[in-house]
Amino acid sequence: MVRLTLRLLRADALRLLLSSLAIVLGVAFIAGTLMFTDGMKAGAYERAGTFDRYTDVAVVADATTIPPSAVDRVRTVAGVRAADGEFIGSGGLLGTDGKPVLGYAVLVSIPTEPALRSYDLVAGRLPERPGEVVLDEGTVADEGFRLGTPVSVGGAGGAAQPFTLVGTVDVAGTSRDVGGPYIGLVGPDALRVAGAEGYARILVAAAQGVSHPELAARVESGITGVEAAVQTRQQLLDAAVEDAVRDLEQFTMVLLIFAGVAAVVAGFVIANTFAIVLAQRTRRTALLRLVGATRGQVFRAALLEAAVIGLVASLVGVAAGAGLASGLSVGAAALDTPFFGGITLTTPTVLLCLLLGTMITVGSAIMPAWHGTRVPPVAALSDAAVQTTRRAGWPRLTVGALVLGTGVAALALAGAAGQLLFVALGGVLAFFGIVLFGPLLVPALVRVLGWPARRLLGATARLAVANAIRNPRRIAATATALVIGIGLVSAFVVGARSTKDGIERSVDAQVGVDFLVTAVSADLPAGLIDELQARPELGVVHEWRAVARDDVQVRAAHPELVGRTVERVVAGDVGQFGPGTVLVYPQLAEARGWTVGSTVTVAGTPLRIAAVAVTNTEGPVLDGSPVAAGHIIEVADADFTRLFPAERGRLAEVQQVDGISVQQAREVIESVVSRYPTVNVMDQSAYKKMLTGTVDMLLAFVTALLGLAVVIALVGVANTLTLSVVERTRENAVLRAVGLTRGRMRAMLAVEAVLIAMVGAVLGVGLGTAVSASAMAVINRIGGDFDVVLPWGQIGLILAAAVLAALAASILPARRAASRPVVEALAGD
């Protein structure tokens, strides 16, 4: 039986080629992901400690920063050869054209102690005194900076100031290479530019003869009162590797989830392929039974065939995965992304991929193989070329209808329950309901979608519809594979468009000015708001700020803008709001027994309640928030600045006075902002685009990852058509003999492919839209404000892509059906 199985496998190799392609693609995704991320992990181990090569012990801040005075205390500890503070934050750089250099800029304090300098110097020297700076080699080359010339550096501490460029360093491939400028200053300069109060770490070098653990114990006893942990060099390296690997493992898990989706789709394709192939072997199987083969032998032979196919396809998939990982590495380098490391091919990765590919293939073939063994020996005497079509039983259809209904109900009730678990459960149940109920649902949809084609193409389309629905199980399995990928893509597409629409409506409701000034990374720089407020052309300059005190959130509000955000006034007059007064939310007023005119104390200052009102800026309260819902006080900008002078925000609204045009106002704002490289000026349209840009990027990422699952499903469509053409060889020959032209034969198969793909796409879009709508309802329940918005253009593109791909999938089967001579086809078995 083993020899016979291998011979049969060689004989049917072409029939199984497309199905094995599904496994190749699925395994390639998994293998490529593991090789790429393993390479990144290896690179993380190599990069760990790049900037701690000469650090023996470090004092690492816990929650707050380490005051500069602690550095002096560490220097006095016995056994310390050198100690210096290290700050790591963000800043900004002005280019030679006076405009900010693009990209996230890393601002670091470089030790002045020679014993602690772990840098690869390219040219010049490292900074030794205030007023000096080093930049990364790439930024210097791109901007045309020269050693010895001034470079303007700024941050949250204030406007850009000139520093003398004394050297360039190579940080490429390190943990601090994030694609933007790398700025190195001496400690005091770094703190001043960043507006920081202390360091993140204190680096310590040990004197000769002092062990690392011994020095760590001494340093720990010498910094009592400082909220920080003392770590040896080995502990530093272990922590750096752990952080890097943890992040990479999360990234790997995300990729493997999408790879798992592709593998599931491949499983559907394999199961359908074996069901068709084994059905076409009905007489061959019956002959084996007739000459003495048992059902068990036939079953094991089918599984052996599946195992061989899975193993060979997995080997090819591993090779393809290596090519995919190489392409990702090259692409990451070309795009200057912070992913470093080559590809790493390990024995566990190869064995895992081979095992997964083989198990998926064998597991998918079990049910078709079991059904294939139920052929009685007498079937060998039949003239039937294939097994009679088996329709789905009523028990399966009944269970499918119940599961589908339960899934739909869970999706409908998720919003009222406010549970995302209902969304996930409803989506899964609805999909399995489609799988079980598919033999009845899919043919019905084929008939409906095929009606226009029958009106346009007549008999050709009627034949295509009849061929498509003649085996309900087969077409249901083929269409269901498409439902997975297209359903997930549709869910993300609808969710993304709904999210973007909600963001844009929120901006329209909350922002009532022409311009916004936003911080690139940290808070708005000190002095910026004062400069803007000093310009006579600008009437409103409102910095968004908030602080939590005594279980209450205190927010800054501008008297001229607050009326725009008020949704409901419970008591009082919002027009009376100004310096010396506050707006209070009704939940807080009720809890504290406050009324209009009551005096409340904020940061030790008495203020009068002007109104009790609700604004549209409250937002949802997340679990673990220190402030209860509605426990909000809004105070005037001037009062907030006086009460909380150290608090700064990340965004400011700016509006010009009457008589100043929008263009004039922009020029005034840009003239001020031009000296602050960590700040952007934008209008409402640009602000919306900035906020929604992340959604677009995430959607593109997800769509690209799910694209492989859709491709595998379309391979399944092509596979079903190809095997159906083989199965219907005589039937197609008869059609040709009675006058069906080659062109109409191709059209018939094209219509059949399009109908299968359209049904899968329509079901996928419907399921994805339902899941997305349910998720939006849950978000609204917990405090969001999102409407379900259907992006008809993108949905149309999804359906059009499915149609075009189906037409492409029908080319080879149609060519085979049309090119075979009629007489030869009539004589074939």
Side-chain angles (χ1 to χ4, degrees), residues 6-94:
L6 295 178
R7 284 199 296 269
L8 292 176
L9 184 59
R10 287 194 297 270
D12 289 335
L14 290 178
R15 295 190 187 188
L16 298 170
L17 180 61
L18 281 176
S19 61
S20 63
L21 180 59
I23 292 297
V24 169
L25 293 176
V27 172
F29 196 165
I30 298 173
T33 296
L34 294 176
M35 292 179 203
F36 182 60
T37 53
D38 284 347
M40 292 174 65
K41 288 180 183 178
Y45 281 99
E46 295 173 0
R47 296 192 303 273
T50 301
F51 299 98
D52 290 314
R53 283 173 288 184
Y54 306 119
T55 302
D56 298 318
V57 171
V59 181
V60 182
D62 292 334
T64 60
T65 57
I66 302 173
S69 60
V71 179
D72 297 328
R73 290 170 58 184
V74 172
R75 286 173 178 154
T76 62
V77 174
V80 172
R81 180 161 61 102
D84 211 336
E86 183 183 57
F87 170 82
I88 305 175
S90 61
L93 185 68
L94 294 180

Side-chain angles (χ1 to χ4, degrees), residues 504-568:
E504 291 170 354
R505 286 189 292 105
S506 176
V507 172
D508 290 335
Q510 297 181 19
V511 178
V513 297
D514 289 331
F515 296 101
L516 297 110
V517 177
T518 63
V520 174
S521 53
D523 294 331
L524 290 171
L528 171 64
I529 300 300
D530 292 337
E531 284 195 48
L532 290 172
Q533 290 174 339
R535 296 303 298 260
E537 300 91 344
L538 307 178
V540 174
V541 178
H542 167 52
E543 183 180 8
W544 288 17
R545 293 167 291 174
V547 62
R549 292 289 188 275
D550 300 326
D551 299 330
V552 175
Q553 186 179 71
V554 182
R555 294 179 177 175
H558 197 285
E560 293 186 26
L561 300 178
V562 71
R564 167 184 44 81
T565 61
V566 170
E567 291 184 341
R568 179 169 55 92

Side-chain angles (χ1 to χ4, degrees), residues 380-393:
L381 304 177
S382 172
D383 289 333
V386 296
Q387 186 183 41
T388 304
T389 298
R390 292 188 309 107
R391 297 190 176 275

Side-chain angles (χ1 to χ4, degrees), residues 18 33 47 88 94 109 118 170 175 179 257 397 399 527 545 589 599 612 623 662-663 815:
L18 281 176
T33 296
R47 296 192 303 273
I88 305 175
L94 294 180
S109 66
S118 302
D170 180 14
S175 58
I257 288 174
L397 296 177
V399 172
R545 293 167 291 174
T599 298
V612 178
D623 292 339
V662 172
Q663 183 59 35
R815 180 178 297 175

Side-chain angles (χ1 to χ4, degrees), residues 344-574:
T344 301
L345 180 60
T346 62
T347 300
T349 294
V350 174
L351 294 178
L352 176 63
C353 291
L354 295 181
L355 180 63
L356 284 175
T358 305
M359 287 180 60
I360 291 172
T361 309
V362 173
S364 302
I366 288 177
M367 288 302 295
W370 181 74
H371 284 299
T373 62
R374 301 175 66 184
V375 178
V378 71
L381 304 177
S382 172
D383 289 333
V386 296
Q387 186 183 41
T388 304
T389 298
R390 292 188 309 107
R391 297 190 176 275
W394 284 110
R396 168 178 171 168
L397 296 177
T398 302
V399 172
L402 291 175
V403 172
L404 179 59
T406 304
V408 172
L411 291 175
L413 296 174
Q419 295 290 330
L420 284 174
L421 180 62
F422 277 36
V423 179
L425 182 63
V428 171
L429 288 177
F431 169 72
F432 280 111
I434 291 173
V435 172
L436 295 172
F437 198 63
L440 187 61
L441 177 63
V442 173
L445 288 175
V446 168
R447 292 187 182 95
V448 172
L449 296 178
W451 180 82
R454 292 196 300 270
R455 295 296 298 269
L456 290 174
L457 300 178
T460 302
R462 287 197 293 273
L463 286 171
V465 172
N467 285 334
I469 65 176
R470 70 163 58 181
N471 193 320
R473 287 173 175 263
R474 180 182 303 177
I475 187 177
T478 305
T480 301
L482 269 172
V483 172
I484 300 174
I486 292 182
L488 289 172
V489 170
S490 300
F492 280 102
V493 166
V494 175
R497 187 65 194 91
S498 302
T499 301
K500 290 172 63 177
D501 179 76
I503 292 173
E504 291 170 354
R505 286 189 292 105
S506 176
V507 172
D508 290 335
Q510 297 181 19
V511 178
V513 297
D514 289 331
F515 296 101
L516 297 110
V517 177
T518 63
V520 174
S521 53
D523 294 331
L524 290 171
L528 171 64
I529 300 300
D530 292 337
E531 284 195 48
L532 290 172
Q533 290 174 339
R535 296 303 298 260
E537 300 91 344
L538 307 178
V540 174
V541 178
H542 167 52
E543 183 180 8
W544 288 17
R545 293 167 291 174
V547 62
R549 292 289 188 275
D550 300 326
D551 299 330
V552 175
Q553 186 179 71
V554 182
R555 294 179 177 175
H558 197 285
E560 293 186 26
L561 300 178
V562 71
R564 167 184 44 81
T565 61
V566 170
E567 291 184 341
R568 179 169 55 92
V569 178
V570 178
D573 182 7
V574 175

